[in-house]
Amino acid sequence: MGQKQIEWKAALFDLDGVVFDTEPQYTVFWGEICRQYHPELPGLENRIKGQTLTQIFDAYFADSEEARQDVVKRLDQYEACMSYGYIAGFVDFIHDLRLHGVATALVTSSNQPKMASVYRSHPELPDLFDAILTSEDFSESKPSPDCYLKAAQQFGAEQNECLVFEDSFNGLRSGQAAQMAVVGLTTSNPSESIRDLCDVAIGDFTTITFEDCLSVLARHHQL
């Protein structure tokens, strides 16, 4: 018998560290915040990578409303001035997927105010995706699979018909928890630290093709 034909319905992309090369800028921002509020925890900015603002607040700022308000204000100001440069090869890659009939979704823990800043920098971004889901659309944050399951539902796709693109530990775990094949980007963490959380690790989108993705799906679901 021949190999079962792969049907790839949807490509689901995180935002920071996947679509845009923003993670180094966030490391700078959170480094300043953490040194101010938690000098006793050196390197905290690296440990909170990929966490939502709510998760960070619950873990490290639960006892200070004043500090939380200060962080929100400074973060809004920072994001409004950030540079949003595409990860190498992303635009060509996503155009190729859409030519092959693959639906695309942006699945991000970013909120609408952050996305407003993104759209000002890249007004073409909504045209690259068939659906955009933000933190307001989810009841549970990554690493819960909630966001990716909801994205799949947007397209009437089963888990084995979706491929997730993620970079953070929580995001990669979210894709795994959704029982989807996962491509991990090494934009935030080295390949050796994410290899157990993804099916394949890539540095950017210049090194992966539509056919490569079909192979990832086939291996993951052992078709």
Side-chain angles (χ1 to χ4, degrees), residues 68-110:
R68 293 194 297 271
Q69 290 181 359
D70 176 54
V71 172
V72 168
K73 178 181 178 181
R74 289 162 63 179
L75 181 59
D76 287 345
Q77 293 172 341
Y78 189 80
E79 288 178 335
C81 300
M82 279 175 54
S83 171
Y84 295 96
Y86 285 114
I87 296 292
F90 170 76
V91 174
D92 288 341
F93 178 73
I94 204 165
H95 281 315
D96 187 48
L97 297 191
R98 300 186 81 182
L99 286 174
H100 281 91
V102 178
T104 58
L106 181 63
V107 186
T108 176
S109 298
S110 299

Side-chain angles (χ1 to χ4, degrees), residues 109-175:
S109 298
S110 299
N111 57 22
Q112 287 294 342
K114 155 74 175 294
M115 294 308 296
S117 297
V118 173
Y119 297 146
R120 283 194 295 272
S121 179
H122 287 281
E124 79 286 355
L125 188 71
D127 294 330
L128 298 179
F129 296 99
D130 299 294
I132 295 179
L133 288 77
T134 62
S135 62
E136 291 84 358
D137 298 309
F138 316 132
S139 57
E140 299 177 4
S141 300
K142 302 172 184 178
S144 166
D146 182 50
C147 59
Y148 285 116
L149 294 175
K150 287 187 176 179
Q153 290 171 4
Q154 294 260 333
F155 305 120
E158 301 295 329
Q159 286 102 313
N160 63 1
E161 297 172 326
C162 299
L163 187 56
V164 169
F165 295 82
E166 269 285 1
D167 66 308
S168 70
F169 293 127
N170 278 345
L172 294 163
R173 292 187 179 105
S174 177

